[in-house]
Amino acid sequence: MLAADDAAFAAAYPLTLAGPQAVTEHALFPSMSAAESLHTAGILVARRKSHRQPHISEVLQLCRVAMECAALTIWLLSDPSREVRRDRCMAEEMEQLEQRRRFLVIGEQDETARPTRYPQHLLVENAEHRRKYNKMLDDAKTAYTFGKTPSFTKMIRESAQWVDAHVPAHDGGEIANNGLESSARSFYSYGSSFIHGYKWITEYSGGGTVFPLIADALAVSLNMVECAVCLFETASRAQAVRAPTTPASPSGSNQRSRDGPHSCSPRRGAWKPGLRLIPEGICLVWDQR
């Protein structure tokens, strides 16, 4: 499915720098970043006894970042319409291109203010790079109509709503019974205190209350990241599973493709209503226009 999304993006928006795998890469990187953040949070939680340090601020910051990244992947891939997924990717692409332009402006300002810090050939190369980049971005903005990505506050809410409406079958009742949206919105709100250095959360986290906050943060972040990773793997495999069954291995079991971690298989396979089982494997029910 993602290969077809990538082709649809390349055909519709060839003037950007997104490359031949635009949808795939825009959805993959944030899910990888989310998993890395949670992995680091896990390391900090595991060492709390040996280092006699709960790492409260660090864990909550990592959880908030993980949830933002996971929500981006879900927002990009969750709609059943290929045109919507393609256009959401375009909105995200243009948002990132604008961010990149601001980064290049900072570099240009430093080169202008302190040119002696840079070799002359580097100044020339950087100036040409910025010229080509700005022309590409200006041409794309002139040629295409595109939307604006929602704020992360809205993106997290919509992604959590999608998970609540498509509860994965591997859920043991945590999402089905409690929902993800309310806890995601709550954590994203108080998590900002630790990201931005706001002290208001201290009025609600005394007397040990901070530890339930950490538990909630870990739970909601894990749920969001797990759903993002499973959704990405499902989308990456959806096209391939329509092919004939892979020949059996010597052990008698079918060889699994390298598209994702083995742990996602049973979870992806039973996701409803976005998935259905077919004889050859797992298939997403998408609008394939």
Side-chain angles (χ1 to χ4, degrees):
M1 183 202 84
L2 282 180
D5 284 2
D6 292 336
F9 184 96
Y13 306 115
L15 297 182
T16 70
L17 295 179
Q21 294 181 303
V23 180
T24 296
E25 292 179 355
H26 271 297
L28 176 61
F29 184 80
S31 64
M32 292 173 60
S33 180
E36 295 266 347
S37 294
L38 280 187
H39 174 67
T40 304
I43 291 174
L44 294 178
V45 170
R47 59 182 268 179
R48 68 194 186 283
K49 289 185 177 180
S50 61
H51 288 68
R52 307 181 73 83
Q53 167 59 260
H55 299 290
I56 293 171
S57 180
E58 302 98 305
V59 170
L60 288 171
Q61 289 177 35
L62 287 164
C63 286
R64 189 176 187 270
V65 170
M67 192 166 68
E68 278 190 347
C69 292
L72 175 56
T73 294
I74 293 172
W75 179 76
L76 286 169
L77 296 182
S78 59
D79 196 279
S81 167
R82 170 154 296 134
E83 284 80 2
V84 172
R85 298 194 301 273
R86 178 202 66 191
D87 291 347
R88 285 183 176 182
C89 180
M90 179 57 175
E92 179 63 21
E93 168 75 357
M94 295 304 291
E95 171 66 23
Q96 293 197 26
L97 290 177
E98 290 288 2
Q99 297 265 359
R100 184 172 174 178
R101 173 138 72 180
R102 289 193 283 272
F103 166 76
L104 293 176
V105 167
I106 294 171
E108 182 180 16
Q109 290 171 343
D110 190 63
E111 291 173 10
T112 301
R114 299 184 290 177
T116 56
R117 293 187 63 210
Y118 303 90
Q120 183 60 34
H121 75 276
L122 187 60
L123 293 174
V124 174
E125 290 174 3
N126 287 349
E128 178 63 10
H129 171 71
R130 288 190 294 267
R131 185 192 68 78
K132 290 181 178 179
Y133 181 85
N134 289 329
K135 182 180 185 305
M136 177 280 303
L137 183 52
D138 290 340
D139 288 347
K141 292 172 72 174
T142 300
Y144 305 134
T145 299
F146 52 91
K148 182 176 176 58
T149 58
S151 67
F152 272 106
T153 299
K154 184 177 180 182
M155 189 180 293
I156 284 170
R157 182 173 188 173
E158 291 183 355
S159 296
Q161 288 173 341
W162 183 85
V163 173
D164 286 342
H166 303 81
V167 177
H170 69 270
D171 175 55
E174 184 176 354
I175 296 176
N177 296 334
N178 303 302
L180 191 64
E181 180 188 352
S182 179
S183 55
R185 293 176 61 199
S186 176
F187 168 58
Y188 193 69
S189 178
Y190 70 74
S192 65
S193 176
F194 296 90
I195 289 289
H196 302 299
Y198 298 154
K199 69 180 185 65
W200 64 264
I201 190 61
T202 59
E203 297 184 19
Y204 302 94
S205 56
T209 308
V210 70
F211 294 104
L213 291 179
I214 294 174
D216 288 344
L218 287 167
V220 68
S221 300
L222 281 167
N223 280 326
M224 188 81 85
V225 172
E226 184 176 47
C227 289
V229 171
C230 289
L231 178 60
F232 177 83
E233 194 201 20
T234 300
S236 69
R237 290 173 53 85
Q239 195 74 8
V241 297
R242 291 183 174 82
T245 306
T246 305
S249 67
S251 64
S253 61
N254 286 340
Q255 295 284 349
R256 192 186 186 285
S257 81
R258 58 183 176 84
D259 291 323
H262 184 274
S263 61
C264 287
S265 292
R267 300 170 180 179
R268 180 190 62 252
W271 205 328
K272 298 176 182 178
L275 299 177
R276 60 184 171 87
L277 295 175
I278 58 175
E280 293 81 10
I282 313 305
C283 177
L284 261 176
V285 182
W286 294 101
D287 176 354
Q288 294 294 332
R289 290 176 295 165

